[in-house]
Amino acid sequence: MTVDPRTPVLVGAGQASERIDRPGYRRLSAAELGAAAAREALADTGADPAAVAAALDTVAGVRQFEISMPGVPSPLGRPDNYPRAVARRIGAAPRRAILDVVGGQSPQHLVNELAAAIACGAARAALIVGGEAISTARHLAGAADRPDFTERVEGDLEDRGYGLEGIVSRSLAVHGLTGAPSQYALFDNARRARLGQTREEYAAGMGALFAPFTKIAASNPHAAAPVERTAAELVTPSERNRVIADPYTRYVVAREKVNQGAAVLLTSVGEAERLGVPRDRWVFLHGHADLRERDLLERADLSVGPASRMAARHALDLAGVAAADLALIDLYSCFPIAVSNICEDLGLPMDGSRELTVTGGLPFFGGPGNNYSLHAVAEVVGRLRAQPGAYGFVGANGGLLSKYSAGVYSTTPSPWRPCRSTDLQSEIDSWPSVDHAAHPDGWATIETYTVTHARDGRRTGVIIGRLEADGRRFLARTAPADEETPALLTTSDPIGHRVHVHSDGNMNQASANRPR
């Protein structure tokens, strides 16, 4: 078929990694890991790398973890302009540099956004790059000979900020939801209740879901934890696999201590031809979508992520394929619910009979900050070239099941198809919101919950519930001296159980018994 020369096409992909316990460890910075991946992507085009680098008019960076929250320190320093720090290492001088918002959706979102920019003529060649040196930063922070990754880089930067509205708040932090495990545990416990499963049954299901991921990670040279594990091993608490937040043990949550970088290159078809990129390197974006969920306490059902499901379905519909037609799938896997949420909706099996990751997933391949799905895209691009005509799907999740970006890829030429994400987002925004009480008081029932487990054995319960008086939803935690309520939450089936909640104006506390 004849393809419009403005059609966007992925022409290069690269990955880089290092581990502090492996020979050849070089103490690379996030910018150096990103640049190493970018050089791989340039070489992967099959064209002259220098010519491709010179043609780049846009470099977009995925935001590093250490600049994803206000006030977070950078123990080894950092560049003040990450995209241009990478660009100058590869000999590129783009007119536009972008630093995207926080969230695991960012890599796929940038692919979707920059593909659209190329299709309308606003760009001709773009590099998307990200890198994390979290493991190195923690390993060397106190070393006498620690490196200094500080860089001052000239040039403008389109810094889009944190993008944390509706995801991070003082209320969530005050009530114990300071980390992703405790936040996502609320969803998985709500799903267990919806399915009517016991704790043991649900744990077995999480293990069965993730055990095949470990096998893929074990053969991936870039994996941070390349160890194959059984389903039982993943969910059985032990000294090395402690419980973090019910129902999660350490082995089933994203592993952030990594040193990894990834990059992908997009051009127009006309630019790819001008640069001499062979056609067998071209991979087209057939379907795409970007949607955002309602804020946590406004959602009707905490056991599902309907906006994420809608994004996945729309990307597939735009591509004209069904889930059963996909040869490759990578579902963002920070926690089990992020995978099962999509699988349930698309009818994908969760028993290991269908591969749901191309990398090994965030708990085993590694969770390089917001950049994980760029590794998935890079892996899908490489594999699709070996399977001409096949389709691959990447689903990228951010926030608290909050933001979802999806992409469907194939070597089969395809015209650019604009998505309907704006219309679908308007539909999501119109959904009825659940009323909630900022300062609840009275008897209530538990809607979902988790218990966080500190290393010293302290347990804190976090509860989302409904007031018996008017049905309003609330967020609360257990008091530090309350041992009875966390015990209830960890040993019984607490959803639907009656608790008493009260507020002092700053914090809401729930307990199994009414305070005297």
Side-chain angles (χ1 to χ4, degrees):
M1 66 176 289
T2 302
V3 182
D4 188 315
R6 293 172 299 180
T7 302
V9 62
L10 283 84
V11 297
Q15 300 181 72
S17 63
E18 65 174 2
R19 289 174 54 185
I20 61 176
D21 58 350
R22 289 285 180 88
Y25 171 57
R26 294 183 290 164
R27 313 198 312 175
L28 298 178
S29 69
E32 289 164 341
L33 284 161
R39 293 186 196 100
E40 290 285 336
L42 291 168
D44 185 59
T45 65
D48 177 9
V52 178
L56 292 172
D57 53 35
T58 304
V59 174
V62 177
R63 187 176 291 269
Q64 285 70 54
F65 250 19
E66 62 186 359
I67 53 174
S68 290
M69 291 282 286
V72 175
S74 297
L76 302 181
R78 65 193 186 207
D80 60 359
N81 188 327
Y82 181 80
R84 292 196 183 277
V86 172
R88 73 179 182 182
R89 284 174 165 83
I90 62 171
R95 61 174 175 78
R96 185 184 184 197
I98 301 168
L99 186 63
D100 205 17
V101 299
V102 173
Q105 82 291 334
S106 176
Q108 182 61 54
H109 166 74
L110 286 170
V111 171
N112 299 345
E113 176 189 344
L114 294 177
I118 289 169
C120 73
R124 291 189 304 175
L127 171 72
I128 302 169
V129 62
E132 290 284 4
I134 301 171
S135 181
T136 285
R138 294 187 181 179
H139 178 60
L140 298 177
D145 63 341
R146 61 184 179 274
D148 183 1
F149 295 154
T150 303
E151 287 186 58
R152 301 284 179 260
V153 187
E154 293 184 1
D156 65 308
L157 175 64
E158 184 182 321
D159 188 338
R160 295 175 172 177
Y162 300 115
L164 297 174
E165 296 80 6
I167 298 172
V168 174
S169 70
R170 181 179 180 277
S171 178
L172 292 180
V174 164
H175 291 101
L177 297 177
T178 56
S182 58
Q183 296 161 350
Y184 274 81
L186 298 170
F187 303 129
D188 260 308
N189 280 326
R191 178 173 180 264
R192 179 178 71 80
R194 171 169 58 82
L195 297 177
Q197 294 184 352
T198 66
R199 293 174 184 269
E200 294 75 19
E201 289 170 336
Y202 199 76
M206 293 191 298
L209 176 68
F210 273 171
F213 285 50
T214 72
K215 183 176 182 179
I216 294 170
S219 62
N220 189 329
H222 295 294
V227 179
E228 187 172 352
R229 300 188 187 277
T230 66
E233 188 179 2
L234 291 176
V235 297
T236 302
S238 66
E239 185 177 345
R240 292 182 58 82
N241 190 35
R242 69 182 184 90
V243 178
I244 295 176
D246 290 341
Y248 301 145
T249 56
R250 185 177 71 85
Y251 286 162
V252 298
V253 305
R255 180 188 181 95
E256 82 284 0
K257 293 180 182 178
V258 300
N259 297 320
Q260 295 171 331
V264 296
L265 281 160
L266 294 87
T267 70
S268 65
V269 162
E271 187 70 0
E273 290 177 332
R274 186 187 74 81
L275 292 168
V277 178
R279 292 203 172 202
D280 63 5
R281 314 309 289 165
W282 297 6
V283 175
F284 294 82
L285 184 63
H286 283 238
H288 53 102
D290 300 276
L291 293 176
R292 180 177 178 126
E293 187 59 81
R294 302 295 295 266
D295 291 353
L296 175 63
L297 294 181
E298 296 178 352
R299 303 178 194 182
D301 184 349
L302 295 175
S303 74
V304 296
S308 303
R309 293 176 167 190
M310 188 181 288
R313 288 198 308 272
H314 182 50
L316 290 169
D317 290 345
L318 197 63
V321 298
D325 301 322
L326 298 170
L328 302 170
I329 300 172
D330 193 273
L331 300 180
Y332 201 90
S333 53
C334 50
F335 303 95
I337 186 68
V339 179
S340 60
N341 177 54
I342 303 299
C343 288
E344 280 188 331
D345 192 61
L346 297 183
L348 294 169
M350 293 178 273
D351 58 1
S353 59
R354 185 75 188 271
E355 289 188 353
L356 302 173
T357 179
V358 294
T359 67
L362 284 92
F364 317 110
F365 167 81
N370 304 307
N371 198 48
Y372 166 78
S373 285
L374 199 57
H375 290 271
V377 173
E379 194 72 30
V380 163
V381 166
R383 293 193 188 194
L384 286 175
R385 289 170 177 156
Q387 304 177 58
Y391 289 87
F393 176 91
V394 174
N397 167 79
L400 317 179
L401 290 184
S402 304
K403 298 178 277 188
Y404 208 82
S405 295
V408 180
Y409 300 86
S410 178
T411 58
T412 300
S414 171
W416 172 250
R417 302 183 180 104
C419 69
R420 292 184 51 250
S421 292
T422 300
D423 293 338
L424 295 175
Q425 189 63 56
S426 295
E427 178 183 337
I428 292 167
D429 294 341
S430 72
W431 291 343
S433 175
V434 176
D435 290 337
H436 57 275
H439 307 296
D441 183 50
W443 288 102
T445 56
I446 297 173
E447 188 175 3
T448 189
Y449 71 98
T450 187
V451 177
T452 60
H453 296 246
R455 290 185 180 274
D456 63 5
R458 287 180 295 111
R459 298 183 298 180
T460 302
V462 180
I463 292 171
I464 290 180
R466 299 287 189 124
L467 290 169
E468 289 183 354
D470 55 18
R472 286 184 299 163
R473 179 181 277 161
F474 65 87
L475 173 63
R477 61 174 293 172
T478 58
D482 182 358
E483 297 182 0
E484 181 180 357
T485 308
L488 166 72
L489 297 176
T490 54
T491 59
S492 68
D493 195 351
I495 291 181
H497 196 282
R498 202 169 188 234
V499 292
H500 192 273
V501 61
H502 68 280
S503 175
D504 64 6
N506 294 310
M507 181 188 300
N508 307 325
Q509 291 188 346
S511 59
N513 298 301
R514 183 171 186 168
R516 294 181 183 275

